[in-house]
Amino acid sequence: MKFQVLSLIGHAPHPLTGELDPAASRLEQVLTVGEAAERLGFDAYSIGERHAGPFLSSSPSVVLGALAARTSRIRLLTGVTVVAILDPVRVAEDYATLDLLSRGRIELVVGKGAEAGHFDLFGLDEQRQWDLQREKYELLRRLWTEEGVDWEGEFRPPLKNVTTIPRPYAGAPRIWHGSATSLDSPELAAKHGDPLFTANAVQPREAYAKLIAHYRERFEAYGHDPKDARVAAGSGGLLIADSHEQAVTRYKELYEARTRQNFRPHLEGKTGYNTPFRTIEDAIAGGPQLIGSPQQIIDKVLGYHEVYRQDLQSITVDAFGQSTGEQIETLERFAEEIAPVLRKEAPSTLWEE
């Protein structure tokens, strides 16, 4: 198993103190944690894309560019690139440039995004979100794999004999499909033989298992070799303690305050937005959150692996308002006490081809 650190660059007041870091300081924290992730042997670092709500991740390519300049080995991913609202030509240009700057360390995770408000912001019809996603992804794919592209579609002007510049560093970067609630993304990934990145962040395991099972079934049905089906899984945040009891004592107030803060009444009942795991005890027992002792976290990830067979496990250390030092300490414990066991128990050849 490989490991990634993901940040959506949340910028909400601390759930207990109400303090809010300056935006520039919050971005610097993300870069510092990214440097630490590389130093500690993590395989990838990912930046999300949000255009609504308390986030500073509207320009992930810019943040990843800064990370590329401050790292040399770690892979740099998006989580996700909201291709449904973007111009594929611009996406192809921006991330090919970043791929060159990083010497081939860029991979995209594309998706429609988790904030409904961004469709209105960009003047697009949310009801057409999957049509937008499909058309724009397929154009992006062609722009990175072909030259002299002729293309006509519904959502942007036609292209005639177009070759986007620059070209990627060493062929088209890998594109994953982010999947949280709908079968559309697993279907699109399977059709093109691409890997699937399941959010695994809010809902019970069974919901994500359904998406992954559909992906694997359709991957083979489209004629691809089942062994080439790659899966990654997210998590709802990482908090490590010496024991279960210490985790509950230390983090209960923090976890439950953040959960209340993140609750969105207007989206109550809409799948994939509000976590049903409102108490820390519920989150430890059945949620995708990785909270508890190192052994508890190992057992939970391996439990997911029995169902998902994920090659890549994504973790989030900045979901609860912890300081830079606390985030790096959490990464250190994961790298030293958890990752070696998971790498041994669930090996993967991802990024070793």
Side-chain angles (χ1 to χ4, degrees), residues 205 297-308 310:
R205 179 171 65 182
I297 292 169
I298 289 169
D299 291 343
K300 179 172 280 192
V301 173
L302 289 178
Y304 280 109
H305 188 264
E306 288 180 5
V307 179
Y308 298 170
Q310 72 266 35

PDB file of all heavy atoms in Angstrom, residues 205 297-308 310:
ATOM      1  N   ARG A 205     -18.850   2.352   5.149  1.00  0.00           N
ATOM      2  CA  ARG A 205     -18.034   1.613   4.188  1.00  0.00           C
ATOM      3  C   ARG A 205     -18.853   1.034   3.046  1.00  0.00           C
ATOM      4  O   ARG A 205     -18.395   1.013   1.889  1.00  0.00           O
ATOM      5  CB  ARG A 205     -17.278   0.501   4.919  1.00  0.00           C
ATOM      6  CG  ARG A 205     -16.410  -0.361   4.006  1.00  0.00           C
ATOM      7  CD  ARG A 205     -15.521  -1.294   4.793  1.00  0.00           C
ATOM      8  NE  ARG A 205     -16.284  -2.285   5.545  1.00  0.00           N
ATOM      9  CZ  ARG A 205     -15.711  -3.195   6.344  1.00  0.00           C
ATOM     10  NH1 ARG A 205     -14.401  -3.209   6.499  1.00  0.00           N
ATOM     11  NH2 ARG A 205     -16.468  -4.064   6.982  1.00  0.00           N
ATOM     12  N   ILE A 297      -5.899   1.936  14.072  1.00  0.00           N
ATOM     13  CA  ILE A 297      -5.870   2.510  12.722  1.00  0.00           C
ATOM     14  C   ILE A 297      -5.399   1.468  11.712  1.00  0.00           C
ATOM     15  O   ILE A 297      -5.959   1.348  10.615  1.00  0.00           O
ATOM     16  CB  ILE A 297      -4.991   3.771  12.716  1.00  0.00           C
ATOM     17  CG1 ILE A 297      -5.682   4.867  13.551  1.00  0.00           C
ATOM     18  CG2 ILE A 297      -4.734   4.255  11.291  1.00  0.00           C
ATOM     19  CD1 ILE A 297      -4.819   6.061  13.846  1.00  0.00           C
ATOM     20  N   ILE A 298      -4.402   0.685  12.076  1.00  0.00           N
ATOM     21  CA  ILE A 298      -3.953  -0.401  11.198  1.00  0.00           C
ATOM     22  C   ILE A 298      -5.107  -1.355  10.909  1.00  0.00           C
ATOM     23  O   ILE A 298      -5.367  -1.720   9.756  1.00  0.00           O
ATOM     24  CB  ILE A 298      -2.771  -1.158  11.842  1.00  0.00           C
ATOM     25  CG1 ILE A 298      -1.500  -0.280  11.832  1.00  0.00           C
ATOM     26  CG2 ILE A 298      -2.511  -2.480  11.115  1.00  0.00           C
ATOM     27  CD1 ILE A 298      -0.379  -0.835  12.681  1.00  0.00           C
ATOM     28  N   ASP A 299      -5.811  -1.753  11.962  1.00  0.00           N
ATOM     29  CA  ASP A 299      -6.915  -2.692  11.794  1.00  0.00           C
ATOM     30  C   ASP A 299      -8.016  -2.105  10.910  1.00  0.00           C
ATOM     31  O   ASP A 299      -8.598  -2.808  10.073  1.00  0.00           O
ATOM     32  CB  ASP A 299      -7.490  -3.080  13.154  1.00  0.00           C
ATOM     33  CG  ASP A 299      -6.536  -3.933  13.981  1.00  0.00           C
ATOM     34  OD1 ASP A 299      -5.585  -4.486  13.403  1.00  0.00           O
ATOM     35  OD2 ASP A 299      -6.737  -4.024  15.214  1.00  0.00           O
ATOM     36  N   LYS A 300      -8.303  -0.813  11.077  1.00  0.00           N
ATOM     37  CA  LYS A 300      -9.372  -0.210  10.272  1.00  0.00           C
ATOM     38  C   LYS A 300      -8.967  -0.141   8.808  1.00  0.00           C
ATOM     39  O   LYS A 300      -9.759  -0.489   7.918  1.00  0.00           O
ATOM     40  CB  LYS A 300      -9.724   1.176  10.796  1.00  0.00           C
ATOM     41  CG  LYS A 300     -10.821   1.859   9.975  1.00  0.00           C
ATOM     42  CD  LYS A 300     -11.321   3.146  10.601  1.00  0.00           C
ATOM     43  CE  LYS A 300     -12.308   2.879  11.707  1.00  0.00           C
ATOM     44  NZ  LYS A 300     -13.023   4.123  12.141  1.00  0.00           N
ATOM     45  N   VAL A 301      -7.741   0.287   8.521  1.00  0.00           N
ATOM     46  CA  VAL A 301      -7.309   0.386   7.127  1.00  0.00           C
ATOM     47  C   VAL A 301      -7.273  -0.998   6.477  1.00  0.00           C
ATOM     48  O   VAL A 301      -7.691  -1.167   5.325  1.00  0.00           O
ATOM     49  CB  VAL A 301      -5.932   1.083   7.030  1.00  0.00           C
ATOM     50  CG1 VAL A 301      -5.409   1.040   5.595  1.00  0.00           C
ATOM     51  CG2 VAL A 301      -6.028   2.528   7.503  1.00  0.00           C
ATOM     52  N   LEU A 302      -6.796  -1.998   7.216  1.00  0.00           N
ATOM     53  CA  LEU A 302      -6.790  -3.350   6.660  1.00  0.00           C
ATOM     54  C   LEU A 302      -8.213  -3.876   6.467  1.00  0.00           C
ATOM     55  O   LEU A 302      -8.478  -4.633   5.528  1.00  0.00           O
ATOM     56  CB  LEU A 302      -5.992  -4.287   7.563  1.00  0.00           C
ATOM     57  CG  LEU A 302      -4.478  -4.074   7.572  1.00  0.00           C
ATOM     58  CD1 LEU A 302      -3.802  -5.026   8.549  1.00  0.00           C
ATOM     59  CD2 LEU A 302      -3.874  -4.230   6.179  1.00  0.00           C
ATOM     60  N   GLY A 303      -9.131  -3.457   7.338  1.00  0.00           N
ATOM     61  CA  GLY A 303     -10.535  -3.817   7.150  1.00  0.00           C
ATOM     62  C   GLY A 303     -11.093  -3.235   5.864  1.00  0.00           C
ATOM     63  O   GLY A 303     -11.824  -3.911   5.127  1.00  0.00           O
ATOM     64  N   TYR A 304     -10.741  -1.989   5.599  1.00  0.00           N
ATOM     65  CA  TYR A 304     -11.152  -1.398   4.326  1.00  0.00           C
ATOM     66  C   TYR A 304     -10.494  -2.123   3.160  1.00  0.00           C
ATOM     67  O   TYR A 304     -11.120  -2.339   2.118  1.00  0.00           O
ATOM     68  CB  TYR A 304     -10.796   0.088   4.294  1.00  0.00           C
ATOM     69  CG  TYR A 304     -11.787   0.952   5.031  1.00  0.00           C
ATOM     70  CD1 TYR A 304     -11.464   1.553   6.243  1.00  0.00           C
ATOM     71  CD2 TYR A 304     -13.061   1.165   4.523  1.00  0.00           C
ATOM     72  CE1 TYR A 304     -12.384   2.334   6.933  1.00  0.00           C
ATOM     73  CE2 TYR A 304     -13.992   1.946   5.195  1.00  0.00           C
ATOM     74  CZ  TYR A 304     -13.648   2.523   6.403  1.00  0.00           C
ATOM     75  OH  TYR A 304     -14.565   3.279   7.075  1.00  0.00           O
ATOM     76  N   HIS A 305      -9.242  -2.502   3.338  1.00  0.00           N
ATOM     77  CA  HIS A 305      -8.519  -3.141   2.242  1.00  0.00           C
ATOM     78  C   HIS A 305      -9.135  -4.494   1.879  1.00  0.00           C
ATOM     79  O   HIS A 305      -9.099  -4.904   0.713  1.00  0.00           O
ATOM     80  CB  HIS A 305      -7.045  -3.321   2.611  1.00  0.00           C
ATOM     81  CG  HIS A 305      -6.197  -3.799   1.479  1.00  0.00           C
ATOM     82  ND1 HIS A 305      -5.882  -5.128   1.283  1.00  0.00           N
ATOM     83  CD2 HIS A 305      -5.620  -3.129   0.452  1.00  0.00           C
ATOM     84  CE1 HIS A 305      -5.133  -5.254   0.208  1.00  0.00           C
ATOM     85  NE2 HIS A 305      -4.967  -4.060  -0.330  1.00  0.00           N
ATOM     86  N   GLU A 306      -9.705  -5.197   2.845  1.00  0.00           N
ATOM     87  CA  GLU A 306     -10.368  -6.465   2.546  1.00  0.00           C
ATOM     88  C   GLU A 306     -11.493  -6.278   1.539  1.00  0.00           C
ATOM     89  O   GLU A 306     -11.776  -7.162   0.734  1.00  0.00           O
ATOM     90  CB  GLU A 306     -10.926  -7.075   3.835  1.00  0.00           C
ATOM     91  CG  GLU A 306      -9.871  -7.620   4.777  1.00  0.00           C
ATOM     92  CD  GLU A 306     -10.485  -8.208   6.032  1.00  0.00           C
ATOM     93  OE1 GLU A 306     -11.740  -8.271   6.105  1.00  0.00           O
ATOM     94  OE2 GLU A 306      -9.730  -8.608   6.926  1.00  0.00           O
ATOM     95  N   VAL A 307     -12.132  -5.104   1.587  1.00  0.00           N
ATOM     96  CA  VAL A 307     -13.273  -4.814   0.711  1.00  0.00           C
ATOM     97  C   VAL A 307     -12.839  -4.028  -0.518  1.00  0.00           C
ATOM     98  O   VAL A 307     -13.242  -4.331  -1.645  1.00  0.00           O
ATOM     99  CB  VAL A 307     -14.359  -4.036   1.484  1.00  0.00           C
ATOM    100  CG1 VAL A 307     -15.542  -3.716   0.580  1.00  0.00           C
ATOM    101  CG2 VAL A 307     -14.807  -4.829   2.710  1.00  0.00           C
ATOM    102  N   TYR A 308     -12.018  -2.996  -0.313  1.00  0.00           N
ATOM    103  CA  TYR A 308     -11.664  -2.080  -1.397  1.00  0.00           C
ATOM    104  C   TYR A 308     -10.494  -2.577  -2.235  1.00  0.00           C
ATOM    105  O   TYR A 308     -10.390  -2.254  -3.409  1.00  0.00           O
ATOM    106  CB  TYR A 308     -11.271  -0.710  -0.841  1.00  0.00           C
ATOM    107  CG  TYR A 308     -12.329   0.040  -0.086  1.00  0.00           C
ATOM    108  CD1 TYR A 308     -11.983   1.199   0.623  1.00  0.00           C
ATOM    109  CD2 TYR A 308     -13.656  -0.353  -0.063  1.00  0.00           C
ATOM    110  CE1 TYR A 308     -12.930   1.924   1.323  1.00  0.00           C
ATOM    111  CE2 TYR A 308     -14.610   0.360   0.637  1.00  0.00           C
ATOM    112  CZ  TYR A 308     -14.234   1.502   1.336  1.00  0.00           C
ATOM    113  OH  TYR A 308     -15.173   2.224   2.026  1.00  0.00           O
ATOM    114  N   GLN A 310      -7.527  -1.371  -1.957  1.00  0.00           N
ATOM    115  CA  GLN A 310      -6.934  -0.121  -2.413  1.00  0.00           C
ATOM    116  C   GLN A 310      -5.415  -0.217  -2.497  1.00  0.00           C
ATOM    117  O   GLN A 310      -4.760  -0.840  -1.672  1.00  0.00           O
ATOM    118  CB  GLN A 310      -7.345   1.053  -1.505  1.00  0.00           C
ATOM    119  CG  GLN A 310      -6.717   1.093  -0.115  1.00  0.00           C
ATOM    120  CD  GLN A 310      -7.577   0.425   0.927  1.00  0.00           C
ATOM    121  OE1 GLN A 310      -8.234  -0.559   0.638  1.00  0.00           O
ATOM    122  NE2 GLN A 310      -7.560   0.958   2.143  1.00  0.00           N
TER     123      GLN A 310
END
